[in-house]
Amino acid sequence: MAAAGETQTVSEYIVHHLTNLTYGKLPGGFERYDGSIVAEGGEWTMAHGGAEASAMGFNAIHVDSMLWSIGLGILFCWLFRSVAKKAEAGVPSGFVNFAEMIVEFVDNTVKDTFHGRNKLVAPLALTIFVWVFLMNLMDLVPVDLIPHTLMLLGVEYQKIVPSTDPNITMGMAVGIFVLMLYYSIKIKGFGFVKELTMNPFSHPVFIPVNLFMEVVGLLAKPFSLGLRLFGNMYAGEMIFILIAALYGAGVLWMAPAGLMQVGWAIFHILVITLQAFIFMVLTIVYLSMAHEDH
Amino acid sequence: MNINLTLIGQMIAFIGFVWFCMKFVWPPIIAAMKEREEKIADGLAAADRASHDLELAKEKAVERLKEAKEEAAGIVDSANKRANQIVEEAKEAAVVEADRVKAAAQAEIEQEANRAREALRGQVATLTLAGAEKVLGAEIDQSAHNDLVEKLAAEL
């Protein structure tokens, strides 16, 4: 796959692969890729290259990540909804069987870890597990296949693995963080404040120290959750891109590159499943901690 | 790798999918699985019960068989006894009948013999008279000598 054309260096190839298709608001006075100056008041447009994307700041959206992520989410909903419609007490068959296996697996994991009473946790865990798995699964699609096809159709950038976008992973992590705070306050009430201020040193003198430590610990949870998934998937994607770049290095490199790609892909089947599982388990654990009243 | 609105978008999508899963996916699947679990448990219990029943039925059948055999043996025994009895009775009846027949035959024979003797006696009297007539060459007054002849015939 020589997506890296003659005019494109390897580093350009890699950077191109790591750039999202971004739609956002360029600030006024910004000089665009073609030399034109953005009018006062800014302009909503597709970004050309990383420089324009970063200039957009927060007022931008990664169209590719969003579409793939929502598309895969809909795929999940559709698959499991069809199973839910077909599910009955009789003998299950085919995909229903497989889906029920996943549901049972998630249900058991939740029962093992989460001891409170909450109707949200199990479906939340199932959604996370399958959705994150599907997003990670996009990593196994050959890196150039879809981006290059879309480039021929006129779409300049395309990153098809949503979980290599920190916005996606952090978006989910922040969502879980909100749930953690909500349940902490709902279940523990004032006890949550006490947990933040009187731990680990149970004396009023240490309140500032305790508060600092506990808040850092609390904030570390969503960050570790989101960034772990992002980091793992990003690194995996990067290696796929590097292997793909190796194809352009010469005919002699084709065989070892192919071998490496197959090897890494097989290994990655484990990684993507494991990462989806870890994300799910940590979500359950964090929510379980939010439910534990001391 | 910029943090931007995508994060908010993903959060909203996340909430939406979790809500959908919680509302339309999880409950029916879990309900179906639970129902099946109960069904299987019931089925297993029924199978256990059935095998227990089978065991009981087998025992009962063996018992019945034994009873039936005993009964049959009893019946055969009594039938044999009865048969012997009948044979004995028949034998006795046959002996009695035979005796009766024999007695009747004997009586008849005696009767016949008597009758023959009488007839013979009568004829002897006649013959004697005829013989005597011839011997004497004279006619004998039957009525005068009847007593004599009768006496003679009785002596024969």
Side-chain angles (χ1 to χ4, degrees), chain A residues 113 115 187-188 195 285 287-294:
Chain A
T113 320
H115 301 298
I187 304 284
K188 298 175 194 166
E195 201 178 280
V285 169
L287 285 177
S288 168
M289 284 161 81
H291 280 73
E292 268 165 24
D293 208 348
H294 296 291

Side-chain angles (χ1 to χ4, degrees), chain A residues 21-69:
Chain A
L21 182 68
T22 315
Y23 180 80
K25 190 185 181 192
L26 277 173
F30 183 81
E31 190 187 332
R32 297 207 62 180
Y33 69 108
D34 53 3
S36 61
I37 306 290
V38 175
E40 202 59 41
E43 183 192 349
W44 284 91
T45 179
M46 281 286 173
H48 283 267
E52 288 193 0
S54 21
M56 286 170 176
F58 193 76
N59 284 330
I61 192 152
H62 291 158
V63 181
D64 47 0
S65 291
M66 241 21 274
L67 286 180
W68 284 108
S69 148

Side-chain angles (χ1 to χ4, degrees), chain B residues 15-147:
Chain B
I15 291 166
F17 290 135
V18 170
W19 173 82
F20 183 87
C21 181
M22 194 174 129
K23 204 89 183 165
F24 300 110
V25 174
W26 188 264
I29 294 180
I30 283 292
M33 284 166 71
K34 214 166 246 176
E35 204 184 321
R36 185 179 315 128
E37 217 167 84
E38 275 164 19
K39 226 170 157 182
I40 290 171
D42 285 353
L44 287 177
D48 272 355
R49 255 201 321 276
S51 75
H52 184 69
D53 285 354
L54 183 68
E55 205 69 23
L56 282 181
K58 266 183 186 165
E59 270 170 33
K60 223 179 218 172
V62 167
E63 217 165 279
R64 273 283 161 80
L65 205 63
K66 223 169 93 185
E67 265 173 36
K69 268 182 186 165
E70 275 168 16
E71 210 170 306
I75 289 171
V76 167
D77 248 20
S78 68
N80 276 341
K81 247 184 238 168
R82 177 95 190 99
N84 284 341
Q85 206 180 340
I86 288 170
V87 167
E88 287 301 314
E89 276 172 12
K91 264 185 195 164
E92 273 167 35
V95 169
V96 170
E97 181 68 14
D99 284 353
R100 199 181 58 78
V101 168
K102 212 165 96 189
Q106 249 164 6
E108 207 173 323
I109 288 167
E110 221 153 291
Q111 219 177 342
E112 278 303 308
N114 283 344
R115 204 181 298 146
R117 210 176 282 147
E118 288 302 317
L120 212 55
R121 213 176 272 157
Q123 274 177 1
V124 167
T126 323
L127 280 177
T128 312
L129 273 182
E133 256 175 55
K134 273 184 187 154
V135 171
L136 297 174
E139 221 159 295
I140 300 168
D141 187 10
Q142 187 140 13
S143 56
H145 300 285
N146 213 21
D147 279 346

